Amino acid sequence: MTRKETRFTNFIRSRGVGAIIAVVSAWMTWRALPSLTPSGWLGFMPELSWGVNFAVLSATAWAMIAINRQFNILRTLSVFFAAYFLFITCSTPFMSCFAGTSSVLAACMIFCMWILFTLYNEPHSNRRIFLIFAILSVGTLYDWKFLFFIPLFVIGLAQMRILRTKKIIAALIGIFTPPWIVFGLDLMPIPQLPHIFFTPPTILLQSPEALPFLCTVLLTMAIGFLLGSINLLRILGFNARARAYNGFLALLGIYTGILAIINFTALPDYMTLLNACVAFQVGHFFRATASRRGYILIVLLFAAYTSLYLWANLK
């Protein structure tokens, strides 16, 4: 690479550019706010809903940075990947403008993953295992989609080399304690089992912003699969602890993508978490190819997501 290319690469990876991308991401959702129909918990106060949701997204990005610094996931201290997460999430404002399941699911899964990583080969871990599964259980009381991630974190215990009988008991206690308290105190009615019915895929194209959103989803999934496959060859050379961390991260992304495809009517609810997983893969790739003109793909990705944002919101 030339000296100018090296400087440009370092410029992209700098904290200042990360802060600029975060500000631009916030502006993207704020700019699109008046054209959207309010939804989520605070639909009657769209500005407050926007503020709460962006705060949750920012907290998720901060947690991603903290995880990387504590466990050296990407072998770099650059915050670029977290800024990239904010940007691609905010490129679909109808999903990221208002507080709702999508951002909460992502925040909870990233936080639970953070706790899980502290358990690697750690014998005294029952309380933290309880906490992980209690969070997932509380999330299930809020939205049943959290339930699907319980088996994944059981697999995560095996990847962290701590899957023992006592650990499973701690996980089961964590799962059953929140509903036992909530339903025992009659704080909410016992929910009915969800009805399973077939929904035609054409329902995804019924809203005006559906086609740009689907294109964004396809781009994110394609990038995640492509870069995840490339990164796998590099990760195989890491030590056992790093392979365990990156293995669970890859598994979380693949599992989320499968859930999004199967439960496509709730596709937006999974996308923020999928964006976070793909952002880690982009960070891996950029770190490995920083000296080999990796910035070219990064620039192309930003251009692609910007184009999708303009397609969906500037009509």
Side-chain angles (χ1 to χ4, degrees):
M1 292 200 325
T2 65
R3 183 175 297 179
K4 288 184 178 180
E5 288 177 311
T6 301
R7 289 178 178 175
F8 182 65
T9 298
N10 293 334
F11 174 72
I12 295 176
R13 298 172 61 192
S14 66
R15 294 184 181 181
V17 170
I20 292 172
I21 294 174
V23 172
V24 171
S25 301
W27 176 85
M28 288 164 64
T29 50
W30 181 260
R31 164 66 178 73
L33 193 61
S35 63
L36 300 175
T37 302
S39 60
W41 325 320
L42 302 170
F44 59 95
M45 300 178 67
E47 291 80 8
L48 177 60
S49 183
W50 171 85
V52 170
N53 197 61
F54 194 79
V56 174
L57 293 177
S58 299
T60 305
W62 174 84
M64 292 166 62
I65 294 171
I67 290 171
N68 180 54
R69 289 185 175 177
Q70 182 173 351
F71 304 106
N72 200 20
I73 303 295
L74 304 182
R75 306 296 175 93
T76 177
L77 295 179
S78 172
V79 300
F80 163 78
F81 72 102
Y84 177 84
F85 157 71
L86 287 175
F87 187 85
I88 65 174
T89 300
C90 292
S91 67
T92 51
F94 89 92
M95 179 190 78
S96 55
C97 265
F98 305 110
T101 298
S102 187
S103 55
V104 172
L105 180 66
C108 288
M109 293 305 117
I110 294 299
F111 183 66
C112 287
M113 183 178 72
W114 190 355
I115 300 174
L116 180 71
F117 285 177
T118 67
L119 303 179
Y120 183 82
N121 206 20
E122 172 60 57
H124 306 292
S125 54
N126 292 344
R127 292 182 179 180
R128 281 171 283 173
I129 292 174
F130 171 87
L131 178 59
I132 290 172
F133 287 91
I135 291 172
L136 295 174
S137 182
V138 170
T140 302
L141 295 175
Y142 161 67
D143 192 305
W144 55 270
K145 299 178 189 69
F146 282 77
L147 180 65
F148 296 142
F149 290 90
I150 291 177
L152 180 67
F153 277 87
V154 174
I155 297 174
L157 295 181
Q159 288 183 294
M160 297 301 118
R161 301 184 177 183
I162 56 169
L163 189 60
R164 306 287 189 274
T165 301
K166 289 184 179 179
K167 313 306 179 185
I168 295 175
I169 293 174
L172 290 174
I173 294 174
I175 292 170
F176 288 109
T177 297
W180 186 10
I181 294 174
V182 170
F183 299 137
L185 296 178
D186 199 24
L187 299 178
M188 63 181 294
I190 298 177
Q192 297 180 348
L193 292 176
H195 297 287
I196 300 176
F197 54 89
F198 174 76
T199 304
T202 52
I203 194 174
L204 294 175
L205 298 174
Q206 290 182 356
S207 60
E209 54 280 301
L211 187 56
F213 174 65
L214 288 179
C215 291
T216 305
V217 172
L218 291 175
L219 175 62
T220 301
M221 289 186 173
I223 291 299
F225 175 77
L226 177 62
L227 298 190
S229 301
I230 295 173
N231 293 334
L232 178 62
L233 299 176
R234 179 169 174 260
I235 292 170
L236 290 175
F238 292 174
N239 60 35
R241 181 188 292 264
R243 289 199 304 270
Y245 294 155
N246 284 281
F248 181 80
L249 181 59
L251 186 60
L252 178 61
I254 294 170
Y255 189 73
T256 304
I258 292 173
L259 288 177
I261 293 172
I262 295 175
N263 188 20
F264 59 83
T265 53
L267 186 57
D269 291 344
Y270 297 102
M271 281 311 300
T272 303
L273 177 57
L274 185 61
N275 288 341
C277 295
V278 172
F280 274 106
Q281 299 302 330
V282 171
H284 258 305
F285 177 83
F286 195 26
R287 167 65 179 84
T289 61
S291 61
R292 301 196 302 273
R293 295 187 171 88
Y295 72 88
I296 295 176
L297 177 61
I298 301 303
V299 171
L300 291 175
L301 287 177
F302 273 98
Y305 281 101
T306 300
S307 300
L308 289 167
Y309 170 82
L310 295 174
W311 179 18
N313 299 285
L314 297 182
K315 299 179 180 179

